[in-house]
Amino acid sequence: MEGNKGNEGKPVTIYDIAKEANVSAATVSRVLTNSTNVRSDKKERILTLMEKYNYRPNAMARGLVDTRSKTIGIMVADIRNPFYSEAFVACEAAARNYGYTVLLCNSYCDKEQEKILLEKLAEKRVDAVIQMGGRADENCTNREYAEYVNRMIQNIPMLVTGKLDGTDCYRVQIDAAQSMGMVMDYLTGLGHKKIAFLGGLSSDMASAQKEAVYRKKLDELGIVLPLTLYRREGNYDYQTGYGAMNAIFEADECPTAVIAINETTASGVMASVREHGFTIPDDISLVSYDNTFMTEVIMPRLTSVDYDYKEFGERLIRTVMAAIEGKEVPKIQYIRTRLVVRETTGRVREE
C-alpha cells in the first residue's frame, strides 16, 4: 500500500487507518468500496485519515481487504419448531445460489443467549446475520439488546423477520394482519360465527397483530363471543392447544371453528376435540398457521396458512446479499400469505 506515516517512513496499512479512526478494518474496507453501510461520521474520519497519510491501497491489498467469509449467520428461536426448520432450509438453498453457506445458531428460546450467539457469529466473521424469532418477535424491544445490535450492524448487516425498535436492521415480515383477515373471511364465509383463537403470546408482535384483526373482524360482524373462546395462556406447542381446548369444553363453550396459532398447537386441539366426542370438521372446523410438513401427516389433513417458504427464503437471502454488496434495498418488506384448504374445515353445521 502506498502512503507514508509521518516521518517514520513506514507504509500505512488499513489496520493503521482503522486503529486511528477507532473503527474496524472491515469498516475501512467498506469505505474503500463505496459501501452505503457506513455511518457518515465514521466515513468522514476514515477519508480524512486517508488524505492525511496519502493512503492509496494497491490492487493486491484491495483484493485481500475485500475478501469475504461467504457465510451468513442465521439465528432461530428453536429449530425443532417446523416453521424455523422450513425457513432455514429455504435460506440455505437460496444462499447456495450466491455461493454462500449458512451457519445455524439455535437459542432454544433463551433470549439471554441471543447476544452471546451474535458475538459468536461476529467472531466467525459472517458477512450478515438473519434473526428469526426471540427478541426480534417482541412487541417491546429490549433496549440493551437493541444497543448491542446497533454496535454490531456498524460492521455486519442484520435482518430480522420481526422488528427491533431503535435499530437500523432490515425487516422481512410475514404479513400477520393480512393472514388473519384472510382466515376470518374464509371461516365466516362458511357460516362460522363462534370462532375460537388459541395459542401464541400477546407479547409477540405477530400474535398481537393477529389478535387485533381477529377482534376487529368480530366487531365488524357484530359478533360478541365469551372470553373463554380466546385463550392465550401457554405458547406454541401441543400442550397449549390441548389445555386451551380442554378449558373451553370445561366452560361449556363449544365453538364451531378454531384458529390455532400453529400446527403443533392444532395437534393438541385435535386431541382434545376427539376426547370430548366431537369430530373435525363435522362438528368443529380447524385452521392452523405455518403449512409445514405436519399438515399432511396429521389426520384429517390440516387447512393451513402458507408462506411459500421458497420465496420467503429467497427474499431473506436477496435482501442480506444486497446489504452485503452495499446496494439499495427496502428497509421493510412484507410476505403475503395464502390459505391451503384441506380436510379440517367445512360449512357450519345447521342447527
Side-chain angles (χ1 to χ4, degrees):
M1 296 182 186
E2 299 175 357
N4 293 323
K5 194 172 182 179
N7 298 320
E8 298 175 7
K10 297 179 181 178
V12 175
T13 70
I14 188 174
Y15 301 102
D16 295 323
I17 296 291
K19 183 177 180 181
E20 191 166 342
N22 195 29
V23 298
S24 69
T27 301
V28 178
S29 171
R30 290 190 176 92
V31 172
L32 290 172
T33 55
N34 293 317
S35 170
T36 59
N37 197 34
V38 180
R39 269 182 14 204
S40 58
D41 59 327
K42 291 187 176 184
K43 185 173 184 179
E44 185 176 347
R45 290 205 306 271
I46 292 167
L47 292 174
T48 298
L49 289 169
M50 288 180 178
E51 184 177 355
K52 175 182 176 180
Y53 295 120
N54 192 30
Y55 175 80
R56 299 290 185 275
N58 60 41
M60 181 177 291
R62 184 185 292 273
L64 292 172
V65 167
D66 291 345
T67 298
R68 296 170 179 161
S69 69
K70 297 287 185 178
T71 304
I72 296 169
I74 300 180
M75 180 166 64
V76 303
D78 192 342
I79 197 64
R80 294 170 297 184
N81 182 321
F83 166 77
Y84 293 120
S85 301
E86 296 268 9
F88 175 78
V89 169
C91 286
E92 187 174 35
R96 191 179 300 125
N97 293 331
Y98 289 92
Y100 266 68
T101 57
V102 292
L103 180 60
L104 172 66
C105 285
N106 190 23
S107 70
Y108 291 103
C109 297
D110 182 353
K111 293 175 182 177
E112 298 304 317
Q113 281 291 312
E114 293 174 17
K115 179 174 174 289
I116 296 171
L117 293 175
L118 286 183
E119 291 171 349
K120 295 292 185 184
L121 290 173
E123 289 173 5
K124 296 292 184 182
R125 302 178 65 84
V126 297
D127 293 330
V129 172
I130 297 172
Q131 180 174 1
M132 304 184 202
R135 294 202 187 276
D137 272 355
E138 293 178 330
N139 264 327
C140 298
T141 300
N142 178 276
R143 187 172 67 178
E144 182 182 352
Y145 188 68
E147 289 172 353
Y148 176 79
V149 168
N150 274 331
R151 291 193 295 271
M152 190 194 77
I153 62 178
Q154 293 173 13
N155 298 313
I156 304 172
M158 182 167 170
L159 179 153
V160 297
T161 56
K163 68 179 179 69
L164 286 175
D165 292 333
T167 72
D168 200 29
C169 291
Y170 297 92
R171 293 161 57 178
V172 176
Q173 296 178 0
I174 293 169
D175 196 333
Q178 176 262 332
S179 71
M180 180 57 83
M182 173 183 63
V183 170
M184 288 295 288
D185 288 345
Y186 170 69
L187 289 175
T188 55
L190 293 174
H192 295 282
K193 294 182 180 179
K194 203 171 183 181
I195 304 169
F197 178 29
L198 310 180
L201 296 169
S202 295
S203 59
D204 286 356
M205 181 193 71
S207 292
Q209 290 174 347
K210 291 168 186 172
E211 172 186 353
V213 174
Y214 167 78
R215 292 184 180 277
K216 180 182 177 183
K217 288 286 186 179
L218 292 175
D219 288 343
E220 289 174 351
L221 294 168
I223 300 173
V224 179
L225 296 178
L227 294 177
T228 50
L229 292 185
Y230 181 69
R231 309 192 69 88
R232 305 302 297 279
E233 66 272 2
N235 211 312
Y236 299 82
D237 52 21
Y238 174 93
Q239 289 77 13
T240 293
Y242 183 72
M245 199 67 205
N246 281 343
I248 287 175
F249 285 126
E250 289 167 8
D252 199 24
E253 295 288 351
C254 186
T256 64
V258 174
I259 303 169
I261 198 68
N262 66 3
E263 286 139 13
T264 313
T265 304
S267 67
V269 171
M270 295 176 82
S272 175
V273 169
R274 284 194 298 268
E275 288 179 9
H276 285 84
F278 294 94
T279 61
I280 295 175
D282 292 340
D283 298 310
I284 301 173
S285 285
L286 177 62
V287 177
S288 70
Y289 273 84
D290 293 353
N291 199 39
T292 69
F293 71 91
M294 290 183 66
T295 58
E296 296 287 346
V297 298
I298 292 175
M299 293 297 166
R301 298 182 308 149
L302 274 165
T303 294
S304 189
V305 176
D306 178 69
Y307 313 129
D308 189 346
Y309 287 98
K310 183 175 184 292
E311 166 58 23
F312 185 36
E314 288 175 352
R315 184 87 64 92
L316 294 173
I317 298 300
R318 279 200 309 270
T319 301
V320 294
M321 287 305 305
I324 290 168
E325 295 166 3
K327 297 177 180 177
E328 290 291 330
V329 62
K331 280 293 182 179
I332 304 178
Q333 302 172 65
Y334 293 96
I335 299 290
R336 290 185 64 81
T337 67
R338 69 187 183 102
L339 187 65
V340 180
V341 177
R342 295 189 178 88
E343 299 165 358
T344 58
T345 49
R347 295 198 64 81
V348 68
R349 173 181 284 182
E350 297 293 337
E351 296 294 339

